[in-house]
């Protein structure tokens, strides 16, 4: 029987929701790994709605669960209904929606607050010693909820202009966590906490390299499950 994995989304679209390529990559690698996947998202209003053509906010109001249903092909549940006891692992793709909707990192940085259902989900899997996979900006959730943990968001310096958000690594360190520098095609495993992270689109890299990096994260999560 395949591993049972919960995938938590934050909307649909890189600038105000989940990064679509990352969510899809995670689902492809989970499928290849024989996992049984169920998708969840919190039923809350998005912090903002961004016109992805212009890159500017609009006056629209959208619900994170309803928007995430686009990526889930309609097969999705409210995050409030997720029971860690029914799963072997949980994975959070990235996208600005993580930093806007699942927590307030986009506005408050390391002083952010984490959505109550996101926090309780992370705590439940961690307490049960079940693996947690995160990519792109989502490792900041672990950094905020589990002081002292080890994560990666890529490099701590903007190497060759490929890591424009390298300062995120410093903010993670300020939270009392250890940032591990990794390339886009690698992931880091915090064995003590069973947290697996990869930088994905925190690196300016070809899509196939990001896809492969997410693959290493998924593989490590399934090994730990």
């Amino acid at each position: 029987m395949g591993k049972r994995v919960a995938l938590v989304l934050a909307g649909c679209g890189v600038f105000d929701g989940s990064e679509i390529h990352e969510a899809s990559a995670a689902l492809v690698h989970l499928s290849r790994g024989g996992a049984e996947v169920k998708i969840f998202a919190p039923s809350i209003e998005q912090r903002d709605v961004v016109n992805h053509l212009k890159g500017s906010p609009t006056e629209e109001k959208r619900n994170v669960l309803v928007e995430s249903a686009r990526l889930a092909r309609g097969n999705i549940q409210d995050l409030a209904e997720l029971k860690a006891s029914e799963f072997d692992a949980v994975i959070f793709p990235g996208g600005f929606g993580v930093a806007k909707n699942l927590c307030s990192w986009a506005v408050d940085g390391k002083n952010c607050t984490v959505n109550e259902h996101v926090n309780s989900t992370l705590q439940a899997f961690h307490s049960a010693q079940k693996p947690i996979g995160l990519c792109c900006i989502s490792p900041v959730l672990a950094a905020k909820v589990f002081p002292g943990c080890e994560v990666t968001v890529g490099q701590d310096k903007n190497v060759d202009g490929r890591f424009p958000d390298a300062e995120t690594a410093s903010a993670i360190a300020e939270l009392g966590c250890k940032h591990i520098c990794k390339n886009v095609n690698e992931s880091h495993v915090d064995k003590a906490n069973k947290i697996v992270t990869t930088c994905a689109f925190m690196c300016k890299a070809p899509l196939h390299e990001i896809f492969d990096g997410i693959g290493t994260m998924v593989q490590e999560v399934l090994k730990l499950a």
Side-chain angles (χ1 to χ4, degrees), residues 3 5-7 23-37 91 218-219 221-222:
K3 303 298 184 182
V5 181
L7 188 83
S24 179
L27 287 166
V28 170
H29 287 295
L30 285 165
S31 175
R32 184 170 286 150
E36 177 187 335
V37 182
I91 288 177
V218 170
Q219 289 165 17
V221 165
L222 293 178

Side-chain angles (χ1 to χ4, degrees), residues 52-98:
H52 278 57
L53 179 62
K54 296 180 178 178
S56 57
T58 72
E59 296 301 315
E60 288 184 65
K61 302 292 183 186
R62 297 192 186 185
N63 178 279
V64 173
L65 177 59
V66 172
E67 290 302 295
S68 297
R70 295 173 179 270
L71 282 168
R73 298 172 62 86
N75 189 7
I76 193 168
Q77 294 173 262
D78 189 336
L79 183 60
E81 299 172 6
L82 193 161
K83 295 180 176 63
S85 60
E86 297 177 355
F87 294 91
D88 301 304
V90 64
I91 288 177
F92 290 77
F96 277 101
V98 172

Side-chain angles (χ1 to χ4, degrees), residues 158-223:
N158 189 9
V159 182
D160 298 326
R162 284 161 51 89
F163 295 90
D165 301 303
E167 71 278 359
T168 304
S170 299
I172 286 169
E174 289 174 20
L175 285 170
C177 298
K178 186 174 183 180
H179 180 266
I180 310 297
C181 290
K182 290 285 182 177
N183 290 321
V184 66
N185 60 345
E186 299 175 312
S187 57
H188 176 70
V189 181
D190 177 347
K191 293 180 181 178
N193 290 294
K194 291 193 174 182
I195 295 170
V196 188
T197 50
T198 189
C199 68
F201 276 101
M202 293 292 275
C203 177
K204 288 186 174 181
L207 181 58
H208 70 277
E209 293 184 11
I210 291 163
F211 182 89
D212 291 347
I214 292 171
T216 68
M217 180 267 285
V218 170
Q219 289 165 17
E220 294 295 341
V221 165
L222 293 178
K223 282 181 192 175

Side-chain angles (χ1 to χ4, degrees), residues 78-118:
D78 189 336
L79 183 60
E81 299 172 6
L82 193 161
K83 295 180 176 63
S85 60
E86 297 177 355
F87 294 91
D88 301 304
V90 64
I91 288 177
F92 290 77
F96 277 101
V98 172
K100 291 179 175 181
N101 304 326
L102 303 192
C103 71
S104 63
W105 187 279
V107 176
D108 302 319
K110 62 182 174 58
N111 297 316
C112 71
T113 56
V114 177
N115 170 273
E116 60 175 319
H117 296 302
V118 173

